[in-house]
Amino acid sequence: MEKQTIEQLEGTASQVRRDCLRMVHAVQSGHPGASLGCTEFFVALYFNQLNHDPNFKMEGKGEDLFFLSNGHISPVWYSVLSRSGYFSPEEMNTFRKLNSRLQGHPATEEGLPGIRIASGSLGQGMSVAIGAAQAKKIDGDDSTVFVLMGDGEQEEGQVWEAAMYAAHWKVDNLIATIDLNRQQIDGPTAEIMDLIDLRAKYESFGWEVIDTLQGNDMKSVVEGLEKAKSLSRKGKPVMNLLHTEMGFGVDFMVGTHKWHGIAPNDEQLADALGQLPETIGDF
Amino acid sequence: MEKTLDLKFNYTEKKDTRSGFGDGFLEAGRRNPNVVGLCADLIGSLKMGAFQKEFPERFFQTGIAEANMMGIAAGMTINGKIPFTGTFANFSTGRVYDQIRQSIAYSGKNVKICASHAGLTLGEDGATHQILEDVGMMKMLPHMTVINPCDYNQTKAATIAIAEYDGPVYLRFGRPSWPIFTDPAQKFEIGKAWKMIEGTDVTIFATGHLVWEAVVAEAILRSEGISAEVINIHTIKPLDEEAILDSVAKTGCAVSAEEHQYNGGLGDSVAQTLARNNPAPMEYVGVNDSFGESGTPTQLLDKYGLDAANIVAAAKKVLARK
């Protein structure tokens, strides 16, 4: 797959945001907030960074792998998977509907190409990614394994079991990213359960940590991932703290937890779509 | 009591079933380079040391972090590894139920969850570690296979067999030294019940350590003129319903025997099969809605009503209901 330029990536991101909003609106359920906030990351990953094959094979030998731990932001993942060729964009019409492969939270049960593990119950994805990364090491496969987690998800204990393990076993072909939008369902993380200093936490666990301070600026996101890759394979797992704004790209959704799990109504959808050019063509 | 009985199966040696797992695991590792091991700080207790020594590049100490261990095992399956996780049965199931549910069972991952120290016969450690609900939890999960072998030889054979089967498996075994009475050269067939002793009056469906107690119970019953059939249900899920129904069609009544709660165990699986196909009187031998406690395995099986004498009593009770 050709790597898209920054300008092309920005165009793709606009379409992906439209896809997310239209999917969630159609069934009046789903999680638009963090899907919009992570759009630059997903687009940069699938259209610029990952060495991947849309002709999907579960084992992914010789390919970079991506795992989504905070599975509730499935809309943005489904959109980039379909837009990069894993399945037809038309299938986005089935999101969260009966007999669909696009389950509310990502699953393997229905065989949707691109998904290698179910996620949604939080805290599990990094462990899975570490296992996949270690299996690659056993096989001498020099690809990279990526995982995305939410910041609220850092409250789960399993995350820290995994963090300890990855450093101990020197899983340095793993690049983890935390979507640092500082919001969770019940409110700001600082009020619900203060994360305080994630950089200090991961550094003290033995990780190499970088900050991508502008997680909704495409160039910064690409540069952050490039930097993370350059720091990999040096004996430590790499953590990319991705500073984003929940709801980015739609003025009335940005920067609040209120759109974590709420769908826009018809009027709100029209307003939102008016802010996001249709660049590839709606599904 | 055993010494004076005319037993249909005999033993010359006792050994723990966990050692059958350890030896089978090493053999599985030698046969298939994709077999890998993970253990949460219980390598000695799980008898995984020989594998670790022979295949250090395929063995992963996870520390005391079972949830993470289950996730890592799930991840390792993705490019074709066959991970065997090892910890006590309590920490292999209840502690990590959601990890198993989402990352292994629902995701259809080829993980072998190997669980030692199951049931009352763990003994002196007491109820915190004596899990009696694990079979129920595991058998409720779609895609999960549940196996509870009866002695060292059957555990070793089962361990080798699950490495060759593609899908998630819960393998349950234990700590106490136990009679070795099955064939060391047996072929273990997942899902295929084994009719060990033919009989006509009552069928005893037993699993795990209690298969030996059922063998002893059969001899006692025979000495009193009662003909019992003994069926070894080493695979609780998928259940060999045909074997159960064929036997009960002949005997007309059943006793289940297991080191587990009544709720959710082998007994419930047998009862459901009978209720749906051929309702027949049935009695349970197991733990009836209580936790265990410290004691020797023999003392505990006696106090909680799980030994041969209790199987005999249950058989007589169910015969009276025919």
Side-chain angles (χ1 to χ4, degrees), chain A:
Chain A
M1 185 182 273
E2 285 273 303
K3 277 191 178 188
Q4 290 191 358
T5 63
I6 299 296
E7 198 179 336
Q8 288 170 323
L9 292 168
E10 285 169 345
T12 302
S14 182
Q15 186 66 52
V16 166
R17 285 196 163 92
R18 290 180 69 90
D19 290 348
C20 293
L21 292 164
R22 293 180 68 246
M23 271 189 272
V24 170
H25 170 262
V27 284
Q28 285 296 298
S29 81
H31 298 78
S35 291
L36 297 181
C38 285
T39 297
E40 278 75 18
F41 172 79
F42 274 86
V43 170
L45 200 62
Y46 273 82
F47 294 90
N48 184 275
Q49 291 289 310
L50 279 186
N51 168 34
H52 67 115
D53 182 3
N55 181 19
F56 179 69
K57 292 183 189 67
M58 175 59 80
E59 59 273 22
K61 288 190 192 294
E63 288 182 64
D64 295 334
L65 304 182
F66 170 71
F67 294 94
L68 177 65
S69 190
N70 47 329
H72 57 275
I73 66 168
S74 57
V76 65
W77 198 15
Y78 294 152
S79 172
V80 295
L81 284 173
S82 72
R83 297 293 178 182
S84 57
Y86 283 82
F87 53 88
S88 163
E90 271 181 27
E91 197 167 344
M92 284 190 270
N93 283 305
T94 71
F95 174 65
R96 282 185 174 242
K97 291 178 181 165
L98 192 63
N99 300 321
S100 173
R101 300 196 293 180
L102 278 59
Q103 291 291 299
H105 293 81
T108 56
E109 182 91 352
E110 294 79 16
L112 185 69
I115 313 288
R116 293 189 165 88
I117 198 91
S119 62
S121 175
L122 295 172
Q124 301 185 30
M126 190 152 79
S127 301
V128 174
I130 292 167
Q134 286 192 298
K136 283 193 178 290
K137 277 179 177 270
I138 294 172
D139 288 349
D141 177 343
D142 195 35
S143 310
T144 303
V145 176
F146 294 82
V147 60
L148 177 67
M149 296 179 281
D151 52 0
E153 185 175 10
Q154 302 307 302
E155 293 154 18
E156 291 281 6
Q158 187 182 344
V159 169
W160 301 99
E161 294 183 2
M164 210 180 304
Y165 179 98
H168 175 84
W169 279 98
K170 300 181 168 51
V171 187
D172 58 3
N173 55 342
L174 174 78
I175 297 175
T177 297
I178 293 173
D179 174 18
L180 206 57
N181 61 26
R182 302 279 178 195
Q183 306 288 339
Q184 56 192 110
I185 296 186
D186 277 353
T189 53
E191 291 173 20
I192 305 304
M193 184 53 61
D194 201 339
L195 304 169
I196 306 185
D197 187 345
L198 282 176
R199 168 180 276 274
K201 283 186 167 77
Y202 274 94
E203 280 178 345
S204 72
F205 272 68
W207 286 57
E208 189 68 55
V209 183
I210 64 163
D211 281 271
T212 300
L213 293 172
Q214 292 178 290
N216 296 115
D217 174 73
M218 192 61 81
K219 189 161 171 285
S220 300
V221 173
V222 170
E223 284 170 358
L225 286 167
E226 293 284 2
K227 187 173 178 192
K229 268 199 240 182
S230 74
L231 292 169
S232 69
R233 293 170 180 76
K234 296 188 193 306
K236 288 182 177 184
V238 180
M239 173 56 69
N240 174 25
L241 298 174
L242 182 75
H243 299 246
T244 68
E245 286 198 83
M246 195 178 246
F248 189 88
V250 177
D251 56 9
F252 60 89
M253 289 184 170
V254 74
T256 167
H257 67 273
K258 288 178 187 150
W259 292 90
H260 174 98
I262 303 285
N265 62 26
D266 294 352
E267 202 175 307
Q268 291 163 332
L269 176 71
D271 185 353
L273 293 181
Q275 303 173 38
L276 298 162
E278 182 181 349
T279 53
I280 304 174
D282 289 338
F283 60 82

Side-chain angles (χ1 to χ4, degrees), chain A residues 169, chain B residues 25 37 39 43 48 51-52 55-61:
Chain A
W169 279 98
Chain B
F25 179 45
C39 187
I43 292 170
M48 295 174 102
F51 182 103
Q52 183 193 30
F55 305 110
E57 73 291 352
R58 285 155 53 191
F59 193 84
F60 302 89
Q61 169 65 267

Side-chain angles (χ1 to χ4, degrees), chain A residues 61 118 121 124 127 139 158, chain B residues 68 81 98-99 102-103 107:
Chain A
K61 288 190 192 294
S121 175
Q124 301 185 30
S127 301
D139 288 349
Q158 187 182 344
Chain B
N68 182 49
K81 301 292 170 235
D98 189 45
Q99 284 76 18
Q102 175 171 283
S103 294
S107 295

Side-chain angles (χ1 to χ4, degrees), chain B residues 159-177:
Chain B
T159 305
I160 293 166
I162 63 173
E164 292 164 4
Y165 164 80
D166 186 17
V169 174
Y170 179 63
L171 181 69
R172 180 196 215 230
F173 42 90
R175 180 173 185 269
S177 191

Side-chain angles (χ1 to χ4, degrees), chain B residues 1-10 197 212 214-224:
Chain B
M1 186 165 60
E2 294 167 14
K3 299 281 182 232
T4 58
L5 287 167
D6 174 24
L7 295 166
K8 294 278 190 186
F9 286 80
N10 283 291
I197 302 172
W212 175 251
V215 167
V216 175
E218 185 276 337
I220 297 169
L221 288 165
R222 183 158 28 89
S223 73
E224 298 179 21

